[in-house]
Amino acid sequence: MLGLNEHVKLDLKSVRAAVKDICARYGFNIDPDKKVYDMSVSEKQTLEIVKVLYRGADILILDEPTAVLTPQETDRLFAVMRNMKADGKSIVIITHKLHEVMAISDRVAVLRKGEHIATVETAHTTEAELTEMMVGKKVELNIERRAPVNPVERLTVEGLRCLNQEGIPVLRDVSFTARAGEILGIAGIAGSGQRELLESIAGLQHLEAGTIRYNNPKNGEVEDLRDKTPLQIRELGVRLSFVPEDRLGMGLVGNMDITDNMMLRSYRRGRGVFLDRKKPHDLAEEIIRELEVATPDTHTPVRRLSGGNVQKVLVGREIAAAPTVLMAAYPVRGLDINSSYLIYHLLNQQKERGTAVLFVGEDLDVLLALCDRLLVMCGGQVSGIVDPREVTKEEVGLLMTGVVPERLRTAVEPVGAGRAGEEENHG
């Protein structure tokens, strides 16, 4: 009812009856009397849809509605959408997940760089054809995953506990090991602690408890990263590259051009008050060329670039730092399919060079195809660490809600296993 300009006395009883009628008609599963702050992400999204239907909307525009949903919640949303379609509603869904396009839509309008390319019947097209229209050329939608070669422990995290500003735990006894030469995927519903986990390792979060041990390949020593600042971590010789989910808020300076943003990593190497601008300029040009960044030149302020091009600049800069540990949070968010697969290829290259890659993603299909191991989080805790080759998307979806499927009871890696093969549970 919030915001409705009704000139009559509000009747909560009739509103509750109308909401229950909408839920019954379309198949929504929501408690009208539940407080919003007690709702899950999917329940809040359901509430938004019920709200516009209560206002009498006949056209619904859903922008990336499944980005924060588990596979099971996505299936329920699609069932509701089919019921709304059958009731005469028009639905426009914006999504980058082609398998969802094929599963739910009747027609597809393809956009490329702000231009309408074509509108086709879904039944008469394929994912490959849609991809070619989106990108403008043929793209191989295959992610090559080679087995890790001689993986060694690079980062050992045990018992991490972190509180937010309200004093509520956002990380609860998180333990795992990241190994050089492998990609460790991190999956979870939005807000499950993925961002706080990476920020804790990067020195951006204060920890209440836990240890972060880094095996330095330079001297073979074990360094404790706990409670150190990002600068102290760098001075230790630890090369952590971090691609945050907030690109302009944390990763880049919007008013600075691409060259100056490259220089943010190297300005301390200048002699006295003079800065070496040649190498950052060369790096900027290389990233623009290799990642096909759409920009007039290297002197264009980053804030004038589209979100996808900002992401390319950030990912390119972090990978160019040749890290021993690369932490990437949603590195393909906002990118077209061609650029996304280019980033996946770059992550695989880092893995083959012996880098320990921590990859937080929201597309389960990509996580299952790209990663060597998959850590699943729920409510700030680790639900399990599984082999992506051995699990289904639906089973990972259950782990994201805190439920361990019966079949996986013996297949889930012990949470907090310090060494490959150990059965000790440090969590």
Side-chain angles (χ1 to χ4, degrees):
M1 296 185 299
L2 193 64
L4 284 181
N5 187 21
E6 295 185 355
H7 300 288
V8 296
K9 184 177 179 180
L10 293 176
D11 184 356
L12 289 177
K13 186 176 180 180
S14 63
V15 172
R16 184 176 286 105
V19 169
K20 287 185 175 180
D21 178 64
I22 291 171
C23 292
R25 187 189 316 169
Y26 298 117
F28 290 109
N29 182 21
I30 193 170
D31 180 3
D33 299 310
K34 191 173 184 178
K35 300 294 185 184
V36 174
Y37 57 75
D38 288 329
M39 290 183 176
S40 67
V41 175
S42 64
E43 287 176 318
K44 290 176 182 176
Q45 191 177 74
T46 300
L47 174 59
E48 286 289 344
I49 296 175
V50 172
K51 190 168 73 173
V52 295
L53 290 174
Y54 174 77
R55 283 158 164 72
D58 289 317
I59 302 173
L60 287 87
I61 304 176
L62 306 179
D63 187 5
E64 301 281 1
T66 65
V68 295
L69 302 183
T70 67
Q72 290 85 351
E73 290 168 339
T74 298
D75 290 341
R76 286 197 292 271
L77 173 63
F78 284 180
V80 169
M81 289 171 62
R82 292 186 181 98
N83 290 337
M84 289 192 289
K85 182 182 79 169
D87 196 42
K89 304 293 184 184
S90 298
I91 302 172
V92 179
I93 177 172
I94 303 167
T95 179
H96 67 278
K97 300 177 181 179
L98 287 182
H99 64 277
E100 293 181 356
V101 171
M102 302 301 293
I104 193 63
S105 68
D106 298 292
R107 293 183 300 135
V108 188
V110 180
L111 301 180
R112 184 170 74 238
K113 296 181 179 180
E115 181 182 353
H116 175 250
I117 302 301
T119 298
V120 296
E121 300 285 337
T122 307
H124 300 149
T125 189
T126 64
E127 288 191 23
E129 290 177 351
L130 291 176
T131 302
E132 187 172 346
M133 284 189 282
M134 292 165 65
V135 178
K137 60 183 179 182
K138 287 187 179 295
V139 177
E140 290 292 331
L141 298 181
N142 294 318
I143 298 176
E144 185 179 4
R145 175 174 51 195
R146 297 177 182 174
V149 179
N150 299 323
V152 296
E153 292 181 7
R154 183 65 67 228
L155 201 66
T156 302
V157 174
E158 292 187 349
L160 284 198
R161 179 177 170 83
C162 178
L163 307 180
N164 63 14
Q165 294 180 344
E166 287 76 36
I168 300 173
V170 289
L171 294 179
R172 309 166 189 261
D173 297 324
V174 173
S175 301
F176 65 91
T177 298
R179 300 167 188 148
E182 76 164 9
I183 298 178
L184 174 66
I186 301 177
I189 299 171
S192 294
Q194 305 96 309
R195 177 176 60 84
E196 290 82 3
L197 174 58
L198 296 196
E199 289 181 359
S200 297
I201 298 171
L204 302 174
Q205 290 274 359
H206 171 71
L207 294 175
E208 295 294 316
T211 60
I212 305 171
R213 297 196 302 274
Y214 169 78
N215 296 314
N216 196 329
K218 277 189 173 181
N219 52 28
E221 294 183 1
V222 177
E223 309 282 1
D224 185 5
L225 306 188
R226 167 83 187 276
D227 287 335
K228 287 184 170 59
T229 66
L231 183 57
Q232 289 172 325
I233 291 175
R234 284 181 58 112
E235 289 174 344
L236 277 173
V238 179
R239 293 182 291 177
L240 294 178
S241 285
F242 181 49
V243 181
E245 58 182 326
D246 183 2
R247 295 174 286 228
L248 287 178
M250 291 175 61
L252 300 169
V253 179
N255 287 331
M256 291 168 58
D257 64 25
I258 300 176
T259 297
D260 287 347
N261 272 286
M262 296 299 111
M263 202 161 55
L264 288 176
R265 273 201 167 276
S266 60
Y267 72 94
R268 292 178 182 274
R269 301 174 197 150
R271 299 176 182 176
V273 297
F274 297 102
L275 299 175
D276 179 9
R277 297 181 64 88
K278 185 178 186 308
K279 289 182 179 179
H281 180 266
D282 292 344
L283 176 58
E285 289 191 331
E286 181 183 348
I287 289 173
I288 290 171
R289 182 178 62 257
E290 296 292 330
L291 299 186
E292 299 177 356
V293 178
T295 177
D297 52 45
T298 61
H299 302 297
T300 301
V302 168
R303 61 180 168 78
R304 293 185 181 174
L305 305 182
S306 68
N309 286 299
V310 169
Q311 190 75 324
K312 290 180 186 179
V313 171
L314 179 56
V315 172
R317 186 193 69 187
E318 296 304 302
I319 289 179
T324 54
V325 177
L326 174 65
M327 299 188 295
Y330 311 109
V332 300
R333 180 177 283 173
L335 298 187
D336 59 71
I337 288 182
N338 191 42
S339 299
S340 297
Y341 277 79
L342 177 60
I343 298 298
Y344 302 147
H345 176 64
L346 291 175
L347 293 178
N348 264 325
Q349 282 185 339
Q350 292 298 302
K351 162 188 163 180
E352 291 170 8
R353 290 172 183 167
T355 302
V357 180
L358 279 68
F359 171 58
V360 178
E362 55 192 5
D363 191 326
L364 282 185
D365 293 288
V366 170
L367 285 166
L368 292 175
L370 178 68
C371 303
D372 300 291
R373 288 186 302 141
L374 185 61
L375 182 151
V376 186
M377 298 190 69
C378 174
Q381 294 178 300
V382 178
S383 298
I385 303 175
V386 297
D387 185 344
R389 304 166 186 83
E390 303 293 334
V391 296
T392 65
K393 189 165 65 171
E394 289 69 29
E395 289 170 335
V396 174
L398 288 173
L399 286 171
M400 289 166 65
T401 61
V403 178
V404 180
E406 186 68 33
R407 190 184 74 83
L408 297 183
R409 294 285 162 85
T410 57
V412 172
E413 179 178 316
V415 175
R419 289 176 176 19
E422 280 189 3
E423 295 300 318
E424 183 180 359
N425 190 324
H426 298 284

